[in-house]
């Protein structure tokens, strides 16, 4: 890979990782609010107080993480646009200033990119300036949905048309992947290590497990559709960079599914009974690292031309 392709891959990886984290943060904060309400409805006592304290402290920590995730996504988006301009113009990154200016001002690709930058800039400002605003989560969700639309508008699926079935499926795929990766990472690295009481913990683990399973089903369906349109035939999965990156991604996803299946069937039920929470957290962390590897493989796909691209 040359410098432009490396920047494309690195930028795509950074922005997708940040997007997934932010989606996971919003989901986790919603589930934690339910845990806090359940603790309040439980009639008081030390357990209820501890559950509410766990939910509040974890939610505050997650809100603070938006302060680095949103700027990271913003920087990744800017770098991706820079690399795209250099690639389209066929010039080195150091000589792509004029091409970048023209792309941003005169092309639909550039306009979509600017919309994404605006959404992330607004979210970064909210995270830093209004962290205690009651409407922060809803505003963040709307901005993330708008940002995802800008990303999909600049994806390979856009070649089918902005109002095509391919765009809708790519949008769903992007958000479902973000939901799965983000919820796993947030739970494993922030929420569960703080370990609230068993009742509150169960109220968090159930939606985490169910949401991940539902997201996986949607990812499988949309992924099959995307792969069919990108490859055309099974033979195109072999002997080319795009197919190789896709196969690596699929292997990593399969490993993550196995880890998630273990937690759903063994790890989480044991943790809800007061046994083996540390093991469930360790599996979640391993799963999050594997999923980050899958995101990296997906970032490599961004810099490659699908075999069926016309």
């Amino acid at each position: 890979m040359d410098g432009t392709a490396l920047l494309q891959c690195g930028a795509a990886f950074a922005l997708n990782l940040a997007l997934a984290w932010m989606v996971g943060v919003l989901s986790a904060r919603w589930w934690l609010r339910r845990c806090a309400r359940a603790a309040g409805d439980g009639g008081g006592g030390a357990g209820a107080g501890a559950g509410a304290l766990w939910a509040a402290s974890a939610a505050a920590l997650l809100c603070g993480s938006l302060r680095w995730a949103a700027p990271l996504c913003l920087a990744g988006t800017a770098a991706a646009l820079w690399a795209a301009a250099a690639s389209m113009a066929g010039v080195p990154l150091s000589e792509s200033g004029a091409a970048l200016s023209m792309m941003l001002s005169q092309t639909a690709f550039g306009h979509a990119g600017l919309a994404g930058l605006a959404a992330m800039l607004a979210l970064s400002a909210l995270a830093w300036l209004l962290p205690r605003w009651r409407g922060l989560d809803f505003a963040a969700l709307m901005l993330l949905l708008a940002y995802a639309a800008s990303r999909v508008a600049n994806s390979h699926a856009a070649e089918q048309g902005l109002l095509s079935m391919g765009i809708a499926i790519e949008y769903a795929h992007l958000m479902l992947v973000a939901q799965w990766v983000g919820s796993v990472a947030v739970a494993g690295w922030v929420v569960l290590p703080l370990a609230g009481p068993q009742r509150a913990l169960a109220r968090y683990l159930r939606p985490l497990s169910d949401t991940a399973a539902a997201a996986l089903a949607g990812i499988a369906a949309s992924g099959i559709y995307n792969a069919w349109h990108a490859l055309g035939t099974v033979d195109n999965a072999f002997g080319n960079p795009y197919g190789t990156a896709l196969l690596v991604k699929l292997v990593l996803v399969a490993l993550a599914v196995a880890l998630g299946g273990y937690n759903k069937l063994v790890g989480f039920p044991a943790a809800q009974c007061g046994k083996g929470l540390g093991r469930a957290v360790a599996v979640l962390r391993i799963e999050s690292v594997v999923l980050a590897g899958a995101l990296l493989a997906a970032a490599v796909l961004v810099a490659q031309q699908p075999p069926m691209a016309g």
Side-chain angles (χ1 to χ4, degrees):
M1 284 188 181
D2 59 12
T4 300
L6 284 174
L7 181 60
Q8 279 184 305
C9 292
F13 176 66
L15 67 88
N16 283 331
L17 192 63
L19 174 63
W21 181 267
M22 290 185 285
V23 171
V25 163
L26 295 183
S27 296
R29 281 171 58 83
W30 171 256
W31 298 332
L32 287 167
R33 280 194 291 271
R34 293 176 58 191
C35 292
R37 286 196 297 268
D41 294 340
L53 179 61
W54 166 61
S57 60
L61 190 59
L62 291 174
C63 184
S65 73
L66 293 177
R67 292 186 172 187
W68 64 260
L72 175 61
C73 194
L74 177 65
T77 304
L81 289 170
W82 181 23
S87 177
M88 291 176 183
V91 298
L93 290 168
S94 59
E95 302 174 10
S96 62
L100 177 60
S101 177
M102 183 182 70
M103 183 188 76
L104 293 177
S105 62
Q106 300 181 22
T107 68
F109 187 100
H111 297 161
L114 286 174
L117 286 174
M120 275 304 108
L121 183 61
L123 183 48
S124 298
L126 287 175
W128 278 96
L129 300 177
L130 298 172
R132 298 183 183 276
W133 179 39
R134 293 176 63 88
L136 175 61
D137 284 15
F138 178 77
L141 176 60
M142 293 300 102
L143 289 168
L144 288 177
L145 291 173
Y147 175 79
S150 75
R151 291 298 303 164
V152 171
N154 284 346
S155 68
H156 293 308
E159 297 173 4
Q160 303 174 40
L162 292 180
L163 298 179
S164 65
M165 178 68 74
I167 280 286
I169 291 177
E170 180 65 17
Y171 187 84
H173 187 78
L174 176 62
M175 294 306 297
L176 289 170
V177 168
Q179 177 66 61
W180 183 23
V181 177
S183 61
V184 166
V186 165
W189 295 100
V190 178
V191 177
L192 294 188
L194 298 178
Q198 296 305 314
R199 180 182 176 188
L201 181 63
R203 286 186 175 272
Y204 186 89
L205 291 178
R206 280 195 293 270
L208 169 63
S209 179
D210 293 344
T211 301
L216 179 58
I219 290 168
S222 57
I224 291 172
Y225 178 91
N226 288 339
W228 172 54
H229 275 271
L231 297 176
T233 66
V234 175
D235 291 341
N236 284 335
F238 306 95
N240 61 82
Y242 188 95
T244 300
L246 181 59
L247 290 174
V248 170
K249 176 185 173 182
L250 291 176
V251 170
L252 291 172
V253 168
L255 178 56
V257 170
L259 292 167
Y262 170 84
N263 259 348
K264 185 173 183 63
L265 298 176
V266 180
F268 289 168
Q272 292 177 42
C273 295
K275 305 174 184 177
L277 176 60
R279 183 179 302 171
V281 170
V283 172
L284 277 171
R285 290 181 172 182
I286 295 171
E287 184 182 354
S288 71
V289 172
V290 172
L291 286 172
L295 286 182
L296 181 58
V300 174
L301 293 176
V302 173
Q304 306 296 331
Q305 192 74 351
M308 293 298 290

